[in-house]
Amino acid sequence: MFDRHSGGERAILVHTELDRGTNREDLAEFADLVSSAGIDAVELVTARRQSPQAKFYIGTGKVEELAKARAATEADVVLFNHELSPAQERNLEQELQCRVVDRTGLILDIFAQRAQTFEGKLQVELAQLRHMSTRLVRGWTHLERQKGGIGLRGPGETQLETDRRLLRERIRTIEKRLEKVDRQRDQGRRSRKRANVPTVSLVGYTNAGKSTLFNRLTESQVYAADQLFATLDPTLRRLEVAGNVPVILADTVGFIRHLPHDLVAAFRATLQESIQADLLLHIIDAASERRDDNMSQVVKVLAEIGAGDVPVLEVYNKLDLVPGAAPRIDRDIDGRPIRVWVSAETGAGMALLQEAIAELVEEDMIIKRLQLPPDESRLRGLLYDLKCIQQEQIGDQGNSLLDIRLAISDWRRLKRRVGQDIEKFVVG
């Protein structure tokens, strides 16, 4: 249907250093993206400009150099480490006579390869369709060769409108399905909230070691690899940290600088695990040369998705790659944990990490022992409704000895409901 050049696995990479602006890309990260996509890079072409050129992004001289390199290497695709406009992609494809893909298209392709679950595939398809909707006109260049006349006027526009309509319908269908998935996830989050089990979500730059750390803490077998975006589909596991503090640990998709907005929008349901979390573990590659920059990019994405106000514990991972470093907990002036140094690969510092998590989630929890007489069945029932009873013992006189654990906010609401007299039942 589309009069376009087919894509392939042999690629020429194009990286441009811009003297102006802040949207600079990292060449090493670009190479990692290409490797993660399973593409064979046959040549790298670099350029330097003050600002992108309107027609090709790069200069005409570099376009000629690219055309010669493509002919010599017989490359199937040219990958740009930048976001190209639809017009720039079209102009480059006409000059180079091969497929041209920008950074956003490359990331979308990696996501398409990684998605395993039904939800993940829907999210990737939605992002791809939104990205494609601005580039449909490139697919119908063959209709430009048709001349006007009776019976021939406007076939290209008619076909474009048909494609756009089909695209909009498919997007609406996927959005409805994802809304249903989001409602199901929200129901699960409400159930965990009622059960007073805090949710701890792992966030961080892609390939920082989140899945390896998740597997180490939960003894799971979540797929973990030394590649970008190894994890797309969120995984949740229940575990007890520091002995007896239950939490739900959530592993989520990694972030990257200039994460495509279509992906952020499509994965909003998945990212809700971070937005609704009680605590975020910001996993940081302690050995990375771009550590500080990557950290700021994660903070930026968290603010973009609405998770900027969620409490954060920084976890400096890959300690085994930092000479002379040892596991430790860094605390603020009030003694609260703010940073933990660990190695998910070797297991060093895991006990310290669990200790820090327990301290932070317990800050908002109350642990008490109540002794209720037999005529306080209503209060006992309310406590069971809150699912906060850890253990119950019945005494010889019929008294109930209850060990409870619940959020401070729930305890305050309970006191308002039954009156301040509830304090007289507290025995420990």
Side-chain angles (χ1 to χ4, degrees):
M1 181 175 70
F2 285 88
D3 183 19
R4 299 181 59 179
H5 309 286
S6 59
E9 300 298 320
R10 291 168 55 83
I12 295 177
L13 312 186
V14 181
H15 176 77
T16 304
E17 286 288 343
L18 297 177
D19 295 333
R20 298 178 183 174
T22 58
N23 290 332
R24 297 184 178 182
E25 305 295 355
D26 180 27
L27 182 56
E29 184 175 89
F30 183 40
D32 288 340
L33 282 171
V34 173
S35 175
S36 296
I39 296 172
D40 181 19
V42 295
E43 189 163 335
L44 170 66
V45 175
T46 60
R48 178 178 288 277
R49 293 185 60 86
Q50 285 191 333
S51 59
Q53 195 225 49
K55 186 175 182 180
F56 297 117
Y57 194 94
I58 55 177
T60 53
K62 281 294 177 182
V63 174
E64 293 176 5
E65 181 184 335
L66 264 179
K68 292 178 182 177
R70 197 203 75 77
T73 59
E74 297 182 348
D76 306 290
V77 61
V78 175
L79 301 177
F80 274 72
N81 190 23
H82 316 278
E83 186 172 348
L84 302 177
S85 69
Q88 287 169 339
E89 282 192 18
R90 181 183 181 185
N91 294 335
L92 285 165
E93 285 188 352
Q94 288 177 339
E95 292 293 325
L96 303 177
Q97 292 297 296
C98 73
R99 182 79 186 276
V100 174
V101 177
D102 67 356
R103 178 185 172 89
T104 299
L106 177 60
I107 294 175
L108 286 171
D109 182 73
I110 295 173
F111 271 58
Q113 294 181 45
R114 299 282 189 273
Q116 298 293 325
T117 65
F118 175 71
E119 178 191 0
K121 292 175 181 177
L122 281 179
Q123 289 170 325
V124 172
E125 185 182 354
L126 178 60
Q128 288 178 321
L129 290 175
R130 285 173 172 165
H131 183 66
M132 188 191 307
S133 63
T134 61
R135 289 158 165 75
L136 269 181
V137 66
R138 295 187 305 142
W140 293 99
T141 52
H142 66 288
L143 294 174
E144 294 173 355
R145 295 192 293 268
Q146 297 191 28
K147 304 300 181 182
I150 296 175
L152 291 175
R153 287 192 180 92
E157 184 63 26
T158 301
Q159 186 62 62
L160 277 177
E161 288 302 316
T162 301
D163 275 0
R164 285 171 179 154
R165 176 176 54 80
L166 293 174
L167 208 62
R168 286 193 299 268
E169 290 176 356
R170 180 60 180 164
I171 287 175
R172 280 196 296 269
T173 299
I174 294 176
E175 286 176 338
K176 288 180 180 177
R177 291 182 180 179
L178 286 176
E179 284 175 7
K180 183 178 180 181
V181 173
D182 192 22
R183 287 195 298 271
Q184 292 171 341
R185 286 192 175 278
D186 192 49
Q187 191 175 28
R189 282 190 290 268
R190 287 199 302 269
S191 298
R192 295 197 298 271
K193 209 75 175 178
R194 287 195 299 269
N196 291 304
V197 180
T199 300
V200 179
S201 182
L202 275 61
V203 299
Y205 209 76
T206 181
N207 203 31
K210 294 183 298 300
S211 295
T212 304
L213 183 66
F214 182 88
N215 287 339
R216 175 70 67 175
L217 285 172
T218 63
E219 299 181 357
S220 301
Q221 298 296 323
V222 171
Y223 178 68
D226 185 17
Q227 58 187 20
L228 302 186
F229 301 115
T231 301
L232 278 195
D233 304 305
T235 306
L236 284 78
R237 293 287 187 275
R238 181 187 173 107
L239 75 152
E240 292 189 352
V241 293
N244 59 355
V245 180
V247 298
I248 298 294
L249 199 64
D251 188 19
T252 60
V253 62
F255 301 150
I256 196 170
R257 62 179 46 81
H258 306 146
L259 190 65
H261 290 288
D262 290 334
L263 273 179
V264 174
F267 277 75
R268 188 162 294 277
T270 297
L271 296 172
Q272 285 289 329
E273 297 298 346
S274 299
I275 300 171
Q276 303 288 342
D278 298 282
L279 175 68
L280 297 180
L281 298 187
H282 181 178
I283 314 303
I284 300 160
D285 183 351
S288 173
E289 295 179 355
R290 300 183 63 92
R291 183 179 73 190
D292 294 340
D293 186 35
N294 292 349
M295 289 171 62
S296 65
Q297 292 294 330
V298 171
V299 172
K300 182 179 178 181
V301 175
L302 287 174
E304 184 178 346
I305 65 175
D309 295 331
V310 181
V312 177
L313 173 65
E314 294 179 349
V315 181
Y316 280 66
N317 189 28
K318 303 189 180 182
L319 201 61
D320 51 304
L321 302 180
V322 181
R328 70 177 189 271
I329 298 178
D330 294 339
R331 300 177 181 272
D332 62 14
I333 57 175
D334 297 321
R336 296 178 73 255
I338 57 174
R339 191 178 301 111
V340 185
W341 297 74
V342 304
S343 171
E345 185 67 29
T346 65
M350 289 298 109
L352 294 176
L353 176 58
Q354 291 197 34
E355 177 187 330
I357 294 173
E359 282 188 45
L360 292 174
V361 299
E362 286 286 88
E363 278 186 342
D364 296 325
M365 304 297 291
I366 283 179
I367 299 176
K368 290 183 179 292
R369 172 167 288 188
L370 304 181
Q371 184 169 300
L372 302 182
D375 59 354
E376 286 293 338
S377 57
R378 174 175 174 270
L379 177 55
R380 180 173 172 273
L382 291 174
L383 291 170
Y384 268 101
D385 288 341
L386 288 171
K387 297 183 178 179
C388 64
I389 297 176
Q390 306 290 298
Q391 183 178 352
E392 179 180 15
Q393 298 176 358
I394 306 298
D396 296 337
Q397 306 298 320
N399 293 336
S400 299
L401 194 62
L402 305 173
D403 292 321
I404 64 170
R405 179 180 180 277
L406 75 169
I408 292 177
S409 57
D410 288 335
W411 175 252
R412 289 171 179 164
R413 280 195 294 269
L414 186 64
K415 288 175 69 173
R416 286 196 298 268
R417 185 170 181 179
V418 303
Q420 296 294 328
D421 287 346
I422 190 174
E423 294 286 353
K424 69 182 181 183
F425 300 122
V426 177
V427 294

